[in-house]
Amino acid sequence: MLFVFPGVVGAVASAQYLAAATGSGVSEIDGLSWMHIRDSSGVPLANYAFATDHGGVLNPGATILWAILGFEFIGYIAIVTTAIWLIGNALSFQWLNMFSSALTGVADRLTGQIATPMLLVTAATIGAFCVAWFWMRGYHAKAVLQIVTMLGVAILGPVFLAEPLADVLSPDGLLAKGRDLGISVAAGLNGNNNPNPNQLVTTMQRDLADNFARRPVQVWNFGHVVDEQPACRSAWSAGMAAGDDDRVRKGMQSCGDSAAYNKAQNPSMGQVGTGLMLLICGGILLAFAVVLGIRVIKAALDTIYHGFMSIFGFAAGGFVYGPTQTFLVRNLVDSVVGAAKMTAYTIFLGIYVLFMGNLFAQAKGETMAVIVIAGTAELVAVSQLKRLSRSLSRGNDWIANRFALAIQGGRAPAAGGSGGTALGMGTMQARGGGSGSGLVTGLAAINTANTSPVVAWLAMRTNRPLDPNARLRKQAELINMQIAASRMTLHQQEELRAARNVLDTKATGRAAEYGGMGDHVGRAHAWDGLGDMDASYQGKMGSMNRLGVDERTTGNIASVHAIQKASRTPNPFEFAPRASAHAALAAAANRRGSAIAPELAGQAHVAAYNFRNNAPMPAPNAAIDHVLVNDVRAAIQNNQALDAAIGPNRWSTADKATLQHIGRSLASDYFDSVHTWAYDMTDQNLAAAMTRLEHANMFDGLTDGLVNDPWAGMRMRNLSIQPGDPFAQASWRSLP
């Protein structure tokens, strides 16, 4: 900042300076001349030059010093001139005159669009409803306050809406009066009992030009202030007005200031150091003035903003009880307090400028000492200015809250207490918070972001990336993970290999029964076998991959389980293996011809397989009622419904062994039909399988609840898979 920024500014200004010198008889910086900043002798700061020896071919060292000093000088003049112009422009309200007409036109058009009779009647009706509500509830005082408030808005509204920003932008409005009061107070504190605000702004600019441009440049250039000698003062002013540094040097020689002439003829590195000191100290001093000037402009713009917002309040919001009335009150209070802020900032700025002028006048040429000492003091003044701004904001909210509470009929705050908060004033604590709470809140937000996983991903998967040595910690964690992975013992590796072999053997054995791993039915049985081993999803995927099944096919096999689960109805009276078989066949039938049709057929085969194997068989040598068995067979062959072909009395009197024999044979018939269809997926084979399944479904419903229920204990209602469940390890339990 010390070397590069002034150099860049100086380079740009130097180019414009040389261009101006070429086009006219007076050398000036075009980028600064339009600001019209002059010192007390009437010399434009844009014409200032650093009078020193330019060197030449025989004196390259002087040429280098001249170039360095030139860049520093023009950069310093550009900063000083811009700051002085900003201060004067802010206090004179010239910036406001540039767009006051446009703002007035916008406000008038906005008023014409918002303040319509329809909106006024609507808002007044809502306000009247609030009055009626308060009166009915017994809040008579609050109702009267609401009536008075509505009448006040109705009386003041037309006056305000006729010219919404007149009191803000007019020459004798709130802002102008606040500015004039501030300047008058500041001038009075410095001994001027009859100040003229307009003339005082020009005087301030000239004093700033003398204190921060004319005198420092003379000390920098000649080692002391040459204005102390009238002849030298005139010579220097004439040379600078002409923009001719040679004329300035000759003027120093002719006025008899040999020390100044020798200093100008012999540039040194000490002048480079003086320039850097001026850039530092002068930058601090002027930064404070610039911050104040910006705050003056911000106070004015805030007042204009609240003037616009008051249009909505007077047009409608002020008639409605609650936050909308508070909104109007806050905007009116903010407008008045904006003028108070203007006064406070202007007094602060005026005291600063006039005090510095008196300090320089009493320093008797000790310009550098004053700048260095004052620079330290102004660093503290900047923080004090922030404290003043926060105090004004808190006072603004406190005043608005008191008015809003009074309008809403709330209890006034007790002496010394903060009281309550009006409706619509929910943010007053946030606006009035101190720097300490704001700092803590900011740090807490940064800490929260630092612990966020989103930030960790954005920081290339680095946890808590804002912590010291976060990247080193990440690398160390990766190394530790690699070391931990490499420390697996031989015994652990053998156990892992053995567990994988068990899974692979089970999957291979099941698949071998029906075509092996190259067959779609075999692959489905392999996946079911892995489920019998309670293998995890990752374990199943890994085993299938090791056995040569590609990832896409394995994913399809896993998907059909989810489809089967979604297809099964949660009927608590169904035989669980039969219900799974029904769901699997239904899922396959509904998705014939799809990309996963082979996997669905394989899953239907597995479900039929589990249905057959888990259907209970009668005990060895048990007596079987073959007459009932043959009648059931005949009904099936004749496509008769079992409930119609076999009377209910015969079902209820049949022994359990006979019913188990019938159920097992129905499950076997269904498996055979599904097996045929799984390898020849025609509609005819599918219809046959569905017919066999319908017989099993009918048998399931007819036998449920019988004393000799053949599938008792294995129905859906009995299989909650709780600890100790005798069917928890059944092979079909792995199916969804």
Side-chain angles (χ1 to χ4, degrees):
M1 290 297 295
L2 295 181
F3 290 93
V4 178
F5 175 68
V8 172
V9 176
V12 176
S14 294
Q16 295 181 341
Y17 181 89
L18 294 175
T22 304
S24 63
V26 178
S27 296
E28 63 179 7
I29 305 174
D30 285 346
L32 305 177
S33 60
W34 63 272
M35 298 181 185
H36 304 294
I37 304 300
R38 300 175 180 270
D39 58 23
S40 58
S41 297
V43 180
L45 266 60
N47 290 7
Y48 275 21
F50 195 86
T52 188
D53 183 26
H54 297 181
V57 178
L58 300 179
N59 191 5
T63 303
I64 295 174
L65 285 175
W66 168 72
I68 296 174
L69 290 170
F71 280 121
E72 285 185 344
F73 171 78
I74 298 181
Y76 176 72
I77 289 297
I79 295 172
V80 169
T81 305
T82 302
I84 295 174
W85 172 83
L86 179 60
I87 293 171
N89 194 64
L91 290 179
S92 64
F93 281 9
Q94 295 177 1
W95 57 273
L96 191 58
N97 296 332
M98 297 173 61
F99 49 87
S100 60
S101 299
L103 288 174
T104 302
V106 172
D108 291 340
R109 286 180 175 269
L110 180 62
T111 302
Q113 295 295 324
I114 299 298
T116 60
M118 181 180 296
L119 183 60
L120 178 64
V121 171
T122 302
T125 302
I126 298 175
F129 173 79
C130 296
V131 172
W133 177 261
F134 293 148
W135 193 269
M136 292 173 60
R137 296 293 300 274
Y139 301 129
H140 299 157
K142 185 174 288 189
V144 172
L145 278 175
Q146 177 66 7
I147 294 173
V148 173
T149 302
M150 292 176 63
L151 290 175
V153 173
I155 294 172
L156 297 178
V159 178
F160 176 84
L161 295 175
E163 292 180 312
L165 298 182
D167 202 36
V168 177
L169 300 177
S170 63
D172 57 347
L174 287 174
L175 294 179
K177 289 180 179 178
R179 186 275 313 262
D180 294 345
L181 176 60
I183 292 177
S184 300
V185 172
L189 292 175
N190 284 271
N192 189 347
N193 296 325
N194 297 301
N196 186 327
N198 294 327
Q199 294 180 356
L200 197 55
V201 170
T202 304
T203 302
M204 283 183 180
Q205 286 186 310
R206 290 183 177 179
D207 290 343
L208 286 170
D210 283 348
N211 295 333
F212 294 109
R214 185 181 180 103
R215 293 191 183 96
V217 166
Q218 290 179 359
V219 174
W220 183 8
N221 200 161
F222 307 115
H224 60 275
V225 179
V226 300
D227 285 349
E228 296 177 358
Q229 301 180 31
C232 294
R233 177 186 179 93
S234 300
W236 190 87
S237 298
M240 287 300 173
D244 188 350
D245 60 337
D246 289 335
R247 182 174 175 180
V248 173
R249 282 183 289 163
K250 292 177 181 179
M252 294 300 101
Q253 185 179 21
S254 62
C255 75
D257 195 340
S258 58
Y261 178 74
N262 291 332
K263 193 78 172 180
Q265 289 296 110
N266 300 288
S268 64
M269 290 300 296
Q271 291 177 313
V272 176
T274 302
L276 292 177
M277 184 179 296
L278 280 174
L279 286 170
I280 296 172
C281 299
I284 294 174
L285 294 172
L286 291 176
F288 172 66
V290 169
V291 169
L292 266 176
I294 291 176
R295 288 190 181 274
V296 168
I297 295 176
K298 183 179 181 299
L301 293 179
D302 285 345
T303 304
I304 294 172
Y305 164 78
H306 291 298
F308 272 103
M309 293 297 101
S310 298
I311 296 175
F312 295 93
F314 279 113
F319 293 97
V320 182
Y321 175 85
T324 55
Q325 283 182 346
T326 302
F327 178 74
L328 175 59
V329 170
R330 291 189 68 167
N331 285 303
L332 293 177
V333 172
D334 286 346
S335 298
V336 177
V337 174
K341 287 183 178 180
M342 176 71 69
T343 302
Y345 294 148
T346 306
I347 291 174
F348 210 119
L349 179 59
I351 291 175
Y352 163 71
V353 173
L354 297 176
F355 169 74
M356 292 304 300
N358 292 338
L359 188 61
F360 274 103
Q362 297 175 12
K364 303 300 182 182
E366 297 295 332
T367 303
M368 296 302 299
V370 173
I371 288 182
V372 172
I373 295 172
T376 305
E378 295 307 323
L379 288 176
V380 179
V382 170
S383 63
Q384 293 174 341
L385 177 61
K386 292 181 179 179
R387 188 176 304 171
L388 172 63
S389 177
R390 289 195 299 269
S391 299
L392 292 173
S393 296
R394 285 195 297 268
N396 183 18
D397 288 335
W398 182 84
I399 295 172
N401 187 55
R402 289 292 295 266
F403 274 107
L405 280 174
I407 291 175
Q408 294 171 9
R411 179 174 297 176
S418 59
T421 301
L423 294 175
M425 292 293 298
T427 61
M428 62 176 299
Q429 296 297 330
R431 289 182 57 184
S435 60
S437 61
L439 177 62
V440 172
T441 304
L443 292 176
I446 294 175
N447 184 65
T448 302
N450 188 35
T451 58
S452 171
V454 177
V455 175
W457 279 103
L458 294 176
M460 301 176 64
R461 295 185 294 181
T462 303
N463 289 327
R464 301 181 65 90
L466 300 181
D467 288 1
N469 301 322
R471 300 300 296 274
L472 295 178
R473 185 190 63 219
K474 174 188 174 183
Q475 295 174 1
E477 290 175 351
L478 292 175
I479 294 174
N480 292 335
M481 292 171 61
Q482 294 173 357
I483 293 175
S486 64
R487 285 178 178 174
M488 183 181 290
T489 63
L490 230 338
H491 178 66
Q492 290 172 329
Q493 294 178 10
E494 288 295 333
E495 286 185 341
L496 179 61
R497 279 195 291 269
R500 289 176 175 175
N501 289 336
V502 171
L503 292 178
D504 295 349
T505 301
K506 178 67 174 180
T508 305
R510 281 288 300 273
E513 298 180 28
Y514 299 100
M517 298 302 295
D519 187 86
H520 64 287
V521 176
R523 290 192 295 270
H525 278 272
W527 184 273
D528 184 63
L530 294 173
D532 293 344
M533 302 298 294
D534 284 335
S536 64
Y537 177 80
Q538 290 80 3
K540 294 178 184 179
M541 296 292 289
S543 180
M544 298 291 283
N545 182 261
R546 289 191 298 273
L547 295 177
V549 182
D550 62 272
E551 185 176 353
R552 181 171 177 271
T553 302
T554 306
N556 291 341
I557 296 174
S559 298
V560 301
H561 282 75
I563 296 174
Q564 177 187 352
K565 182 178 180 180
S567 302
R568 190 177 66 189
T569 58
N571 186 349
F573 301 100
E574 293 181 314
F575 179 46
R578 201 272 318 152
S580 295
H582 189 162
L585 185 64
N590 292 333
R591 292 168 176 81
R592 286 174 291 172
S594 65
I596 59 173
E599 285 76 17
L600 287 167
Q603 182 59 38
H605 192 282
V606 169
Y609 173 89
N610 289 323
F611 178 27
R612 182 196 65 183
N613 291 355
N614 286 281
M617 296 179 62
N621 302 321
I624 305 297
D625 184 357
H626 290 285
V627 175
L628 179 59
V629 172
N630 293 333
D631 290 344
V632 171
R633 282 290 179 186
I636 292 174
Q637 291 176 358
N638 295 328
N639 289 326
Q640 292 179 315
L642 294 180
D643 56 346
I646 310 297
N649 292 333
R650 298 185 65 185
W651 291 114
S652 60
T653 57
D655 59 275
K656 190 169 186 176
T658 301
L659 295 178
Q660 288 179 339
H661 178 80
I662 295 173
R664 180 77 176 193
S665 63
L666 291 175
S668 299
D669 292 345
Y670 172 67
F671 172 75
D672 294 339
S673 63
V674 172
H675 180 78
T676 302
W677 172 75
Y679 287 100
D680 185 13
M681 290 184 285
T682 62
D683 291 343
Q684 181 179 1
N685 292 337
L686 177 61
M690 295 181 70
T691 300
R692 297 292 184 270
L693 179 62
E694 184 60 32
H695 294 315
N697 291 344
M698 182 66 70
F699 178 78
D700 190 2
L702 291 172
T703 58
D704 180 35
L706 297 179
V707 176
N708 295 324
D709 185 354
W711 291 339
M714 297 185 67
R715 298 188 179 276
M716 297 292 289
R717 62 176 178 271
N718 306 120
L719 301 178
S720 58
I721 313 299
Q722 298 176 352
D725 190 331
F727 303 101
Q729 299 299 325
S731 62
W732 48 265
R733 200 266 302 173
S734 62
L735 295 174

